[in-house]
Amino acid sequence: MKKLSFAIFCIYIVSCKSSVPPDVLPPQKMQSVLWDFMQADELAEYYSAKDSSFKTLTKHVDYYQKIFAIHKITKDDFIKSLDYYENHPAVLKTILDSVQKFGERLQKRDTVNKN
């Protein structure tokens, strides 16, 4: 029963797009942007571990700029949205849980494909 209540709550939160101000990224888009940021961070850290001359901070900035371009948003759009979600922790938790579940599904899929 507890899982069902949580699932209904998550669906309710995600479906309440009208509760998110128009100048804030919708939850689904925020999930995608956060996922891409996590991937960019992993990539920058991977290369910095392999190459001591790799400029990690510079690459982070480069990757983030590319993410903004891909998602057709600005740094300010992202910061404003992140501030909004940080002030609405229940919605942020739902977004972060979705990002985590997405990563777990990809990892599981990759594990199955290797076998």
Side-chain angles (χ1 to χ4, degrees), residues 3-59:
K3 287 184 181 181
L4 178 61
S5 297
F6 179 72
I8 291 171
F9 175 74
C10 288
I11 291 168
Y12 172 75
I13 292 295
V14 172
S15 67
C16 290
K17 292 179 184 173
S18 61
S19 66
V20 175
D23 59 339
V24 170
L25 298 175
Q28 190 77 14
K29 186 162 190 153
M30 192 67 173
Q31 290 171 10
S32 297
V33 173
L34 288 173
W35 175 257
D36 288 347
F37 270 97
M38 290 169 49
Q39 295 297 100
D41 289 341
E42 287 291 320
L43 191 60
E45 292 304 318
Y46 171 79
Y47 284 121
S48 73
K50 295 275 185 193
D51 181 0
S52 62
S53 68
F54 186 80
K55 307 239 183 293
T56 306
L57 184 58
T58 303
K59 276 303 183 183

Side-chain angles (χ1 to χ4, degrees), residues 14 56 64 66 81 88 90-91:
V14 172
T56 306
Y64 293 167
K66 288 176 184 175
S81 297
H88 296 83
V91 183

Side-chain angles (χ1 to χ4, degrees), residues 80-113:
K80 181 179 275 191
S81 297
L82 189 58
D83 286 344
Y84 173 83
Y85 288 116
E86 286 176 342
N87 289 313
H88 296 83
V91 183
L92 180 60
K93 182 177 181 346
T94 302
I95 291 170
L96 295 176
D97 287 349
S98 296
V99 170
Q100 180 182 2
K101 292 292 182 194
F102 179 72
E104 289 170 357
R105 283 193 308 271
L106 285 179
Q107 188 175 24
K108 191 179 291 187
R109 183 195 70 194
D110 290 347
T111 302
V112 168
N113 287 340

